[in-house]
Amino acid sequence: MGAKIGRGKRFIKSPGRGARRALPEARGAVKDRGLMTSHTFAPLGPLTGSIRVPGDKSISHRSLMFAGLAVGRSRITGLLEGEDVLATAAAMRAFGAQIAREEDGSWVVDGVGVGSLLEPNQALDMGNSGTSTRLLMGLVASHAITATFTGDASLSGRPMKRVIDPLSQMGASFEASAGGTLPLMLRGASPAVPIIYRLPVASAQVKSAVLLAGLNTPGITRVIEPVPTRDHTERMLTGFGAKLEVGVENGETVIAIHGEAELAPMDVTVPGDPSSAAFFMVAATLVPRSDLTIMNVGLNPTRAGLLHVLRQMGADIEEVNPREVGGEPVADLRVRHAQLSGVEVDPDIAPAMIDEFPVLFVAAALASGTTRTTGLEELRVKESDRLAAMAAALTAAGARVEEHADGLTIHGTGGEPLRGTDNARVKSLLDHRIAMSMAVAGLVSEGGVEVDDISPINTSFPTFMGLLEEAAAA
Ligand code: S3P
């Protein structure tokens, strides 16, 4: 079944998964174990040519939600067709929006209108997606409907109290599992009560949940944000015609949304996801002789922290053809191999690269000297405990890592490859970003890195394996 392509690299198809694209063999086997698919990642040679990463996950979720709330027809181009976003699409359909994929790959949405959400007739399965869950809870909270949210084992362990608290203040009521987790049932309030809410955690999901609840609440709902987080909700809601003001008071951002809004349909073009590009930015930096261009990468300043930190470490990343796509700054990134040096990462930059720390830890493991990160408690409540997961996985691959309550300290190899996992599988723990980060670690290891389950990659980056193959074979 193996066919020789590229520079003599062999590729095999994953057994038992006929529809899957070819996976790089990488000196190991692909094994299906029930729904889990293990895979060994090993050096593939330099990453070259140009690749295009899929649409931004955060923007894709929001485009479906806001189009689904508008009155009339919107068209979305470049939507990420990953499992998380498809969970949002299914939920918006259950709320009454009509959503269809056209043959050219664009998505057409006929919205139901703010205030007119239908009550879903069965539980909403959110899969692995915290963004779908928390933002949609905000939507339901100010409608006179009841909805039940369920999710996979990872999502069912994640904290929902952070949205339950403000949405309860607005009048919604909840029956959640012990500890404030899924499954939970939410009874929306109509009319809901506008609040002024100061975010206790730097979370764009909590901010967005309150703003979305505010859309169907009489009066003005305000969110005070002491530390800036990604602002896609603010940008896109304004595009859909919501009345939203962003100001600064006492050094803190204040976002005010005027309620009982009517959203007008619009066409959205989703830029490429910087969080997906991150894996290729680090891979091309670490793999000798790489020269890879990643096309169409969103560079919203609230998301571009990794680019800044990698450059501080000595990475060679050039922004080519900067432009605007869908109201967001975008550029192509030309990434050439470079030797990195360890740094102290300023905790203030964390919200602007919150999803990129797992792959930054891989970069740090190959740098010369020590990299210290602090202020990262939030990483413990992502799809997995990302501090514990990456400390365990990198250690198993031969890196020198110390785990602290709020970060990792990593002593780099100075560019020498990692040992590899020696047939001891690392666990991806239902976390797409752990699986892809350890894939990158495998590319710069001697013996390869075996990941126990790569299927979570489909939640955010279904084309990852194919693009890795493409870049290595170019
Ligand atoms: C997201 C916000 C972040 C991020 C997540 C997507 C969003 O979560 O980790 O992947 O789309 O708003 P928090 O806002 O909870 O940090």
Side-chain angles (χ1 to χ4, degrees), residues 376-390:
L376 301 181
E377 298 86 347
E378 271 297 298
L379 292 197
R380 295 205 181 270
V381 290
K382 294 295 180 189
E383 285 82 332
S384 68
D385 174 342
R386 287 180 174 165
L387 293 180
M390 285 306 295

Side-chain angles (χ1 to χ4, degrees), residues 57-58 61-62 131 134-135 162 202-206 208 230 354-355 378 382-383 386 433:
K57 182 154 77 72
S58 293
H61 282 300
R62 287 158 173 81
T131 311
R134 295 194 177 114
L135 270 59
R162 54 181 61 196
S203 167
Q205 294 184 353
V206 178
S208 301
R230 65 189 70 192
I354 196 68
D355 292 333
E378 271 297 298
K382 294 295 180 189
E383 285 82 332
R386 287 180 174 165
R433 301 207 195 276

Side-chain angles (χ1 to χ4, degrees), residues 23-309:
L23 299 171
E25 179 187 83
R27 230 189 291 156
V30 178
K31 298 157 202 147
D32 271 358
R33 295 182 300 127
L35 289 174
M36 288 172 76
T37 307
S38 71
H39 188 79
T40 301
F41 295 89
L44 288 172
L47 304 180
T48 56
S50 74
I51 57 165
R52 210 178 163 84
V53 290
D56 188 280
K57 182 154 77 72
S58 293
I59 296 174
S60 294
H61 282 300
R62 287 158 173 81
S63 66
L64 286 170
M65 290 178 197
F66 305 166
L69 284 174
V71 179
R73 174 167 290 194
S74 300
R75 183 178 291 274
I76 307 166
T77 310
L79 187 85
L80 167 65
E81 295 175 354
E83 288 168 0
D84 280 14
V85 174
L86 299 180
T88 289
M92 290 309 298
R93 284 194 186 108
F95 291 133
Q98 286 180 28
I99 302 178
R101 185 185 193 275
E102 305 269 279
E103 261 181 25
D104 65 359
S106 65
W107 288 66
V108 169
V109 181
D110 290 295
V112 280
V114 172
S116 302
L117 292 189
L118 304 180
E119 183 162 289
N121 53 21
Q122 55 189 36
L124 302 170
D125 181 0
M126 300 286 95
N128 189 251
S129 180
T131 311
S132 312
T133 309
R134 295 194 177 114
L135 270 59
L136 292 172
M137 282 168 69
L139 269 191
V140 172
S142 59
H143 283 77
I145 59 174
T146 296
T148 299
F149 293 86
T150 63
D152 71 5
S154 155
L155 184 58
S156 301
R158 297 183 65 188
M160 295 299 150
K161 190 171 177 298
R162 54 181 61 196
V163 278
I164 292 176
D165 284 348
L167 299 177
S168 300
Q169 289 176 28
M170 296 180 81
S173 55
F174 295 84
E175 275 171 45
S177 302
T181 54
L182 299 192
L184 69 73
M185 193 175 78
L186 193 182
R187 266 189 213 91
S190 185
V193 185
I195 59 170
I196 301 176
Y197 192 69
R198 190 168 189 280
L199 292 175
V201 278
S203 167
Q205 294 184 353
V206 178
K207 168 176 70 175
S208 301
V210 176
L211 293 175
L212 293 191
L215 272 181
N216 194 41
T217 299
I220 300 176
T221 298
R222 289 186 174 81
V223 179
I224 303 172
E225 192 178 46
V227 185
T229 64
R230 65 189 70 192
D231 62 357
H232 307 302
T233 296
E234 296 90 310
R235 286 176 188 244
M236 202 186 290
L237 270 182
T238 306
F240 274 93
K243 198 163 170 223
L244 182 142
E245 288 130 16
V246 182
V248 178
E249 279 172 32
N250 307 321
E252 301 179 330
T253 308
V254 182
I255 306 130
I257 180 96
H258 293 243
E260 297 175 298
E262 185 167 311
L263 300 188
M266 68 179 271
D267 290 348
V268 179
T269 304
V270 181
D273 196 326
S275 300
S276 296
F279 302 104
F280 285 93
M281 284 161 66
V282 172
T285 296
L286 296 183
V287 175
R289 293 179 289 119
S290 292
D291 182 352
L292 180 70
T293 299
I294 312 167
M295 309 293 288
N296 187 39
V297 183
L299 289 178
N300 180 315
T302 62
R303 299 284 298 282
L306 179 71
L307 185 58
H308 179 77
V309 172

Side-chain angles (χ1 to χ4, degrees), residues 1 12 38 84 110 363 372 374:
M1 63 181 161
I12 61 168
S38 71
D84 280 14
D110 290 295
R372 286 192 182 78
T374 52

